[in-house]
Amino acid sequence: MIHFVGAGPGAEDLITVRGAKLLEQADVVVYAGSLVNPAHLARTKEGCAIYDSASMTLEQVMDVMIPAAKDGKNVVRLHTGDPSVYGAIREQMDILDANGVSYEVCPGVSSFCGAAAALKAEYTLPNVSQTVILSRMAGRTPVPERESIRALAAHGSTMVLFLSSGMLGKLSEELIAGGYAPETPAAIVYKATWPDEKVFRTTIAGLEQTAKDNDIHKTALITVGGFLGDVYDRSKLYDPAFAHGYREANP
Ligand code: SAH
């Protein structure tokens, strides 16, 4: 059996209890060394074979995992954050299906949740935005034109941008071209939940300079939108005048 496990955003105690148990039981671990905190590997038992996928191809990863799984070993494929977000797990699962190897997925805390915690922010404020757009700038991996930053920015929703911290000048241009005001609040969260986490609050226009001033090039998320501001409505759920299935109205 192969378990795809989300390692969480960085802090070693932000892996799930299930993910930690799977690591403890693993005979083979293939971890995404570019972003997974190596401290997680301390949970593995003696003799566990450990591979860093940062320098491996998809084929090489499969050549490690498939024979091990067929040999009855417990295999963990450890991905950063949650594996469903830019995790490249679908292509692995398809090859496992083709080889008749079974697998499960154990979710993890995505870095976009880690970033909200670092910011002490709520992405979905009433009367500000009820939608979170997770996306990225097109890089060597293309993004469909209908999902360009410019097109998505037109919604004025909360946006969290992955894999884009090396292109902040262009990102700001696109956000503004899509309809955001240049002074819209924005934040750069570097290594959310890691011991060296850093948070920089700025505006859309100020993103590139802020990153430059603080030497941020990678392992950062960009968050954008009115949720970083001070104006919002309080929730209906906890409004005394609002009745619902668990509470009567008390105007
Ligand atoms: N599956 C991961 C995302 C992998 S894509 C998740 O759920 O978080 C890699 C990108 O995620 C990085 O380029 C960076 O933009 C972001 N990222 C991952 N971990 C991060 C962290 N701790 N802090 C800030 N950004 C992070």
Side-chain angles (χ1 to χ4, degrees):
M1 174 65 97
I2 294 181
H3 288 273
F4 291 92
V5 175
E12 53 186 294
D13 55 352
L14 278 178
I15 192 168
T16 63
V17 174
R18 184 186 299 180
K21 280 194 184 138
L22 289 167
L23 270 182
E24 284 158 17
Q25 292 161 1
D27 302 302
V28 176
V29 172
V30 184
Y31 75 107
S34 54
L35 279 168
V36 169
N37 188 344
H40 292 302
L41 303 173
R43 294 184 190 273
T44 58
K45 62 190 180 193
E46 219 181 300
C48 175
I50 293 175
Y51 299 83
D52 177 356
S53 63
S55 61
M56 296 165 79
T57 62
L58 170 62
E59 287 72 16
Q60 288 169 332
V61 168
M62 290 297 134
D63 286 348
V64 168
M65 298 206 300
I66 293 174
K70 288 195 166 165
D71 225 20
K73 295 193 168 129
N74 293 322
V75 179
V76 166
R77 177 71 171 107
L78 192 60
H79 282 275
T80 180
D82 183 81
S84 71
V85 184
Y86 304 114
I89 59 166
R90 173 65 189 269
E91 60 193 25
Q92 300 176 65
M93 296 190 292
D94 283 349
I95 296 174
L96 297 178
D97 285 338
N99 283 273
V101 175
S102 55
Y103 52 85
E104 298 281 349
V105 181
C106 172
V109 177
S110 177
S111 60
F112 83 90
C113 302
L119 289 161
K120 300 190 174 78
E122 178 176 348
Y123 288 137
T124 53
L125 289 177
N127 214 14
V128 175
S129 175
Q130 292 289 289
T131 304
V132 186
I133 295 177
L134 307 182
S135 192
R136 61 171 299 169
M137 287 282 281
R140 280 191 292 177
T141 302
V143 171
E145 182 51 37
R146 64 179 185 281
E147 299 181 349
S148 68
I149 296 295
R150 186 183 294 235
L152 297 177
H155 295 280
S157 306
T158 298
M159 291 181 77
V160 182
L161 289 326
F162 290 73
L163 298 158
S164 303
S165 41
M167 300 172 255
L168 295 185
K170 184 86 183 122
L171 175 66
S172 296
E173 270 174 44
E174 287 288 302
L175 289 166
I176 293 165
Y180 275 113
E183 60 277 12
T184 305
I188 302 173
V189 184
Y190 171 74
K191 293 188 86 174
T193 82
W194 287 70
D196 50 343
E197 167 188 287
K198 287 184 190 136
V199 173
F200 305 100
R201 292 174 194 266
T202 177
T203 59
I204 287 181
L207 278 170
E208 187 176 37
Q209 193 61 45
T210 303
K212 211 169 154 191
D213 292 347
N214 296 286
D215 213 17
I216 304 297
H217 312 285
K218 56 176 187 171
T219 327
L221 286 171
I222 313 305
T223 68
V224 171
F227 81 97
L228 289 163
D230 298 322
V231 182
Y232 64 96
D233 286 352
R234 61 175 283 177
S235 69
K236 295 282 183 221
L237 190 63
Y238 296 104
D239 182 339
F242 191 78
H244 58 71
Y246 296 93
R247 188 167 50 71
E248 297 201 338
N250 179 17

